[in-house]
Amino acid sequence: MRIFGKTMRRTAVSLALTALVIMPSQLSAETLSDALIDAYRNSNLLDQNRALLRAADDDVAIAQSALRPTLDFVMSLNAAHPHREIYSSFYNSGSSRDNLVATYQLQASIALYTGGSNRLTIESRKETVLATREALRSLEQSVLLSSVVGYMGVLRSQAFVTLRENNVRVLTQEKQATEDRFEVGEVTRTDVALAESRLAAAISQLEAARGDLAVSRETFRTAVGRYPGDLAFPGALPKTAPSVDEAIRIGVRTHPDIRQAQRGVTVAELGMRIAGAAYKPSISASILSQTDSEYQDEEHFLSLDLNQPIYRGGAMAALERQAIAQRDSNRANLLQVTLGVEEQVASAWANFDAATAQIRASELQIRAAQIAFDGTREEATLGARTTLDVLDAEQELLDARAARIDAIATQYVAVYSLLSAMGLMTVDHLNLGIQTYDPAGYYNAVKSAPARLSQRGQKLDRVLRKLGKQ
């Protein structure tokens, strides 16, 4: 008796393949690009590091201000009781009073020569800004890649849930068919128990898959800033490089981590020059205008000071050695970062190749397992196969489909990981078509160190208030 016919089996297979291929682009409007855009816009990490970049921008303004004169107003109040010059007269008159003297000073000073340390400090701060920009670009890549991982993780989990649900349906029908065959004496109670066992295992796997989907949704929310909707399967894979060697060359040339390390070496070399400049003399000029309330007279002073370090207890030599050690450390870091990028590119390329080969192999496995499963079912209805044979064939088909789902998700994550390792996982390279943060905008506004009361300074205050409300 054929309880489970060929038409029903093909319907089940069609459902499984639909779950496997997952082409919800016809069912949903939410794409991978949407997730990438929201991840870029909603990232707290990007906001944090943009603020750190603005702080580094102002370090340039602070260094720039050291080249300019300073102007200070100073007022001092001095009191004595009793005043020694009028003590006797106050004593004789039987009265006393405090003597309060106010002094007003207007001080202006400027550093005329510092051995070049001030200008070297400005250059060092500029290089630090450029290094911080590269760090921000590296973080942008991490944020976007995390959104891809989260996106594909949800798709993978959804596909596994659908596959497990279909497997439960098939095994439920198989269990019913086995029970019907047992009623007519075609199989034994052992066959029924085997069918029940496989069905219970399938239900357990379905619940585990649903739990994995819930975890994947939370991972997606962390990466993108919201929960996923109905996700469309990504389109064509992005282009990378014609060969792994070319991909490595691109990565070494463009990866922000390498560029940041290169800037770090430059900063360290400038630090050595700053430490050497400490041995040189410094010259400063100052003007002081003072008014005394007691005598109502004004005094004006002009001074020119030269300071030549002779002995500082060995501190200057220690700072110079420290700067040299920092330079050596940053150079070694640059070499290590370069090796790391090369490894990331090669590993991502290998993962992509392996996933592509696995997809091809799993497709062949699915076709063969499908034929074996159909044949085993037909033979079982004729008594040539046992229920265990049918269940084993069903499990092999399920494993092949699961392997293909996993390989497809791995392939997409690998290709975007390769883009990230090459330094190309950016909003601009992916052509997401959204407005991006301009790291040079704030720098150009503050690099000349505008005063707070100036027109440009007030404009900056408005910009900062606006950023704080976002």
Side-chain angles (χ1 to χ4, degrees), residues 280-400:
K280 299 179 180 180
S282 61
I283 302 174
S284 61
S286 62
I287 299 175
L288 174 64
S289 179
Q290 177 176 296
T291 302
D292 192 317
S293 64
E294 182 178 5
Y295 299 105
Q296 296 298 317
D297 60 345
E298 293 185 0
E299 295 179 301
H300 305 283
F301 305 92
L302 172 64
S303 63
L304 191 65
D305 300 318
L306 183 145
N307 183 12
Q308 172 61 63
I310 297 177
Y311 178 68
R312 297 287 178 85
M316 291 188 296
L319 290 172
E320 191 173 23
R321 292 192 301 270
Q322 188 180 62
I324 294 173
Q326 186 63 54
R327 187 274 314 272
D328 294 341
S329 172
N330 287 11
R331 285 180 175 177
N333 178 65
L334 172 58
L335 295 176
Q336 187 61 35
V337 170
T338 302
L339 288 175
V341 168
E342 292 175 349
E343 178 187 0
Q344 291 174 21
V345 173
S347 297
W349 189 280
N351 289 336
F352 176 75
D353 280 349
T356 303
Q358 187 180 1
I359 291 173
R360 291 194 296 265
S362 62
E363 289 172 348
L364 295 175
Q365 184 184 4
I366 288 172
R367 285 196 291 269
Q370 185 68 60
I371 294 172
F373 174 65
D374 291 340
T376 302
R377 284 300 308 268
E378 294 290 344
E379 293 171 3
T381 59
L382 299 176
R385 293 281 185 173
T386 64
T387 300
L388 181 59
D389 293 331
V390 175
L391 295 175
D392 287 341
E394 163 69 15
Q395 188 62 47
E396 288 185 7
L397 179 58
L398 177 67
D399 291 342

Side-chain angles (χ1 to χ4, degrees), residues 131-166:
T132 309
R133 289 183 188 178
E134 296 298 338
L136 179 61
R137 196 162 72 91
S138 180
L139 183 63
E140 176 186 340
Q141 293 203 141
S142 298
V143 167
L144 295 179
L145 181 59
S146 295
S147 68
V148 173
V149 173
Y151 191 96
M152 295 309 301
V154 172
L155 281 181
R156 184 198 327 238
S157 298
Q158 289 175 340
F160 271 115
V161 167
T162 305
L163 186 63
R164 297 299 180 186
E165 288 175 344
N166 181 71

Side-chain angles (χ1 to χ4, degrees), residues 82 86-97:
I86 57 176
Y87 174 77
S88 59
S89 61
F90 286 159
Y91 181 78
N92 294 332
S93 63
S95 64
S96 66
R97 65 181 178 87

Side-chain angles (χ1 to χ4, degrees), residues 19-221:
L20 174 65
V21 179
I22 312 177
M23 288 294 181
S25 57
Q26 300 175 352
L27 306 176
S28 171
E30 187 170 340
T31 65
L32 178 57
S33 294
D34 296 330
L36 290 168
I37 291 171
D38 286 344
Y40 181 82
R41 289 174 172 170
N42 299 333
S43 175
N44 296 319
L45 287 174
L46 287 177
D47 287 341
Q48 175 192 7
N49 282 265
R50 288 165 185 161
L52 292 177
L53 176 57
R54 292 194 295 272
D57 292 342
D58 274 304
D59 279 339
V60 176
I62 294 171
Q64 185 73 36
S65 67
L67 299 178
R68 299 177 179 175
T70 62
L71 183 63
D72 297 291
F73 173 76
V74 180
M75 183 182 72
S76 62
L77 297 175
N78 298 289
H81 176 75
H83 194 280
R84 61 178 181 271
E85 296 180 356
I86 57 176
Y87 174 77
S88 59
S89 61
F90 286 159
Y91 181 78
N92 294 332
S93 63
S95 64
S96 66
R97 65 181 178 87
D98 292 331
N99 182 55
L100 186 63
V101 179
T103 303
Y104 307 93
Q105 295 179 344
L106 192 62
Q107 301 175 350
S109 61
I110 186 172
L112 300 177
Y113 177 73
T114 59
S117 62
N118 284 348
R119 295 194 179 278
L120 289 172
T121 300
I122 293 174
E123 293 303 316
S124 177
R125 296 295 183 267
K126 288 180 178 179
E127 288 294 328
T128 301
V129 166
L130 295 176
T132 309
R133 289 183 188 178
E134 296 298 338
L136 179 61
R137 196 162 72 91
S138 180
L139 183 63
E140 176 186 340
Q141 293 203 141
S142 298
V143 167
L144 295 179
L145 181 59
S146 295
S147 68
V148 173
V149 173
Y151 191 96
M152 295 309 301
V154 172
L155 281 181
R156 184 198 327 238
S157 298
Q158 289 175 340
F160 271 115
V161 167
T162 305
L163 186 63
R164 297 299 180 186
E165 288 175 344
N166 181 71
N167 188 45
V168 168
R169 285 194 295 269
V170 171
L171 289 178
T172 300
Q173 294 167 346
E174 180 64 35
K175 172 178 172 292
Q176 183 62 47
T178 303
E179 290 174 346
D180 292 341
R181 294 175 67 190
F182 172 75
E183 293 294 333
V184 298
E186 293 185 2
V187 297
T188 66
R189 172 61 65 181
T190 301
D191 294 309
V192 176
L194 285 171
E196 291 175 345
S197 175
R198 287 294 177 90
L199 176 59
I203 293 174
S204 175
Q205 292 171 343
L206 172 59
E207 294 305 319
R210 287 171 175 168
D212 291 341
L213 176 58
V215 172
S216 297
R217 285 174 55 83
E218 295 300 328
T219 302
F220 182 97
R221 177 175 177 267

